[in-house]
């Protein structure tokens, strides 16, 4: 991972345009090629970013460094760097992945056992389907034979939707699986997370832990 702290201007050019005026920011370049721009005022979401597959060209002209990051759709993240305070690279190694808490792990187990909760005709392909960036909780097939990736949380928030989005981007590059749709399942889904998921074509499913354990009615709330 490459970490750069610098005064920079950022422009995104593609389906939409966005501009960040010059300010001191943190730039992250990860081994998968992704580039993200961070401020010091939020925990998880960058100000702007380019997800893989993408590639970066770095040039220097009149002491000004320019990065142009391009994705397969031809969209560009253009970063103009005026002053560099820190530029360092670090080898993080293979991440062991997220260790889920007891309730979350049990929800995964129960949903795998009762996969029809996702819809009529659903079948389980595999639990903890491994990808290059971590395991997908459940990989399933729907009634039409389409591949579905399911991310399970105890509390569904925006970062969970972002996580599933990254999985979907990666899985859809596999011609044996594509097209892959997504289901975001949680006991409680925050409105902002639901809005983001819906905007990205991800279906939301609210889970009742007691129902999955068979202690109450089997009627689920889908939205």
């Amino acid at each position: 991972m490459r970490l750069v702290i610098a005064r920079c201007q950022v422009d995104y050019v593609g389906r939409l345009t966005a501009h960040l005026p010059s300010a001191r920011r943190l730039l992250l370049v990860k081994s998968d090629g992704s580039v993200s721009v961070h401020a010091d005022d939020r925990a998880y979401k960058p100000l702007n970013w380019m997800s893989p597959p993408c590639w970066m060209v770095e040039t220097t002209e009149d002491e000004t460094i320019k990065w142009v990051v391009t994705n397969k759709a031809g969209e560009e993240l253009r970063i103009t760097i005026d002053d560099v305070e820190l530029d360092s690279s670090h080898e993080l190694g293979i991440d062991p992945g997220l260790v889920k808490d007891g309730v979350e792990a049990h929800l995964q187990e129960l949903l795998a056992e009762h996969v029809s909760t996702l819809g009529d005709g659903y079948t389980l392909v595999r639990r903890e389907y491994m990808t290059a960036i971590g395991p997908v909780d459940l990989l399933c097939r729907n009634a039409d034979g389409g591949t579905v990736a399911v991310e399970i949380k105890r509390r569904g928030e925006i970062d969970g939707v972002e996580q599933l989005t990254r999985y979907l981007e990666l899985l859809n590059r596999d011609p044996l699986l594509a097209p892959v749709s997504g289901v975001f399942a949680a006991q409680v889904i925050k409105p902002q997370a639901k809005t983001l998921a819906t905007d990205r074509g991800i279906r939301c499913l609210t889970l009742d832990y007691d129902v999955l354990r068979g202690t109450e009615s089997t009627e689920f709330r889908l939205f």
Side-chain angles (χ1 to χ4, degrees):
M1 178 183 292
R2 182 181 178 188
L3 308 177
V4 178
I5 297 176
R7 179 168 294 280
C8 62
Q9 170 184 302
V10 182
D11 293 279
Y12 193 98
V13 180
R15 288 170 295 178
L16 53 82
T17 59
H19 173 72
L20 293 170
S22 183
R24 194 168 300 281
R25 300 185 176 97
L26 169 64
L27 309 176
L28 295 183
V29 183
K30 296 187 178 181
S31 59
D32 62 2
S34 63
V35 178
S36 55
V37 182
H38 298 262
D40 196 23
D41 65 343
R42 58 192 72 195
Y44 58 90
K45 188 173 182 180
L47 297 169
N48 215 325
W49 68 94
M50 186 69 81
S51 300
C54 60
W55 57 94
M56 183 175 78
V57 175
E58 181 175 344
T59 60
T60 302
E61 182 178 342
D62 296 330
E63 298 185 353
T64 298
I65 302 170
K66 294 184 178 180
W67 295 4
V68 178
V69 189
T70 309
N71 65 14
K72 62 182 180 181
E75 298 174 308
E76 292 183 346
L77 183 66
R78 302 172 182 172
I79 303 175
T80 304
I81 300 173
D82 298 318
D83 175 53
V84 177
E85 181 176 316
L86 171 72
D87 188 343
S88 63
S89 296
H90 308 269
E91 179 59 52
L92 301 185
I94 298 174
D95 192 274
L98 179 68
V99 178
K100 298 179 180 294
D101 67 30
V103 173
E104 204 166 291
H106 199 203
L107 280 171
Q108 182 193 118
E109 180 182 346
L110 290 170
L111 194 55
E113 291 176 0
H114 306 286
V115 72
S116 60
T117 300
L118 297 169
D120 294 336
Y122 271 73
T123 57
L124 178 67
V125 175
R126 186 172 178 179
R127 286 179 58 188
E128 298 287 339
Y129 183 86
M130 186 56 65
T131 74
I133 58 175
V136 177
D137 287 334
L138 302 181
L139 194 70
C140 303
R141 297 280 185 186
N142 60 24
D144 298 324
T147 309
V148 182
V150 183
E151 180 63 28
I152 302 168
K153 298 293 184 186
R154 184 166 55 85
R155 183 178 180 85
E157 302 189 30
I158 285 178
D159 56 349
V161 179
E162 296 284 7
Q163 182 181 358
L164 179 54
T165 299
R166 292 192 293 271
Y167 288 145
L168 290 172
E169 288 177 351
L170 191 62
L171 292 170
N172 271 301
R173 292 185 227 161
D174 187 339
L176 298 178
L177 298 176
V180 184
S181 58
V183 174
F184 187 54
Q187 288 181 284
V188 177
I189 301 178
K190 297 188 72 173
Q192 300 94 327
K194 179 185 173 185
T195 299
L196 180 61
T198 301
D199 182 68
R200 295 182 176 180
I202 296 171
R203 181 164 64 99
C204 291
L205 170 64
T206 301
L207 300 173
D208 188 310
Y209 187 63
D210 290 328
V211 170
L212 277 175
R213 290 191 301 169
T215 60
E216 296 182 5
S217 165
T218 58
E219 181 180 353
F220 280 81
R221 298 177 293 279
L222 291 173
F223 51 123

